[in-house]
Amino acid sequence: RPFPPPERHTSGDMEAVVSEVVAPEDLLKFEKKYNAELVKGSISKETKFEYAWCLIRSKYSADITKGVGLLEDLVQKGTKDDQRDYLFYLAVANYRLKEYEKALKYIRTLLRKEPGNTQAIDLEKLIDKAMKKDGLVGMAIVGGIGLGVAGLAGLIGLAVAKSKS
């Protein structure tokens, strides 16, 4: 395997796992392999997974989304052992897309099957942290917009009042 399966990561480097970016030449190599098998009419699950794993580490959200599609397809047909990797990387991919609810759904599915999986536990904590941070940031943005609209309405009201006098 050209990639470390999730169970090999140590607990301290989950942020490194979710922020790792694929080398463009690796993405190209696995894309060529994937497309070559696609043309022949049969894509092995290994090739599909390798390509998906490269895609979800892209800096482009369109690539990550494409990788999610491949992983979702794999998770439907995967064995229990394979599913650990698929679910883990689906959570990583959705985390990278800031789709935290989906990321949580995948990592909790994995944790239901393997409650002691330290990597999954670490990733769940990271997703929770991001949701809290994003939730607060989101509320601040909404609050700021609300204030902006109210302020603007007040200014328009003043302008209208002045024009009438």
Side-chain angles (χ1 to χ4, degrees), residues 22-31 54 57:
V22 68
E25 58 273 15
D26 284 348
L27 182 56
L28 205 60
K29 181 175 101 180
F30 288 107
E31 184 174 33
C54 286
R57 291 178 302 134

Side-chain angles (χ1 to χ4, degrees), residues 27 51 55-70 96-97:
L27 182 56
Y51 184 40
L55 285 166
I56 67 158
R57 291 178 302 134
S58 170
K59 55 185 173 208
Y60 303 107
S61 57
D63 285 347
I64 299 171
T65 302
K66 187 175 180 182
V68 165
L70 294 175
R96 294 191 63 169
L97 291 168

Side-chain angles (χ1 to χ4, degrees), residues 84-151:
R84 172 199 301 127
D85 289 1
Y86 304 154
L87 289 167
F88 181 83
Y89 287 116
L90 273 164
V92 168
N94 280 287
Y95 175 90
R96 294 191 63 169
L97 291 168
K98 294 185 175 22
E99 295 280 353
Y100 301 126
E101 282 89 0
K102 282 185 190 169
L104 220 45
K105 183 187 83 173
Y106 287 118
I107 209 64
R108 286 184 175 154
T109 301
L110 174 53
L111 283 167
R112 271 196 300 279
K113 296 175 185 193
E114 298 182 21
N117 185 317
T118 53
Q119 272 223 284
I121 293 165
D122 288 343
L123 184 54
E124 184 187 32
K125 284 179 193 158
L126 196 64
I127 297 164
D128 274 333
K129 195 169 99 181
M131 284 178 85
K132 285 188 183 92
K133 191 179 116 193
D134 242 43
L136 294 173
V137 168
M139 291 316 288
I141 291 169
V142 169
I145 291 169
L147 186 69
V149 171

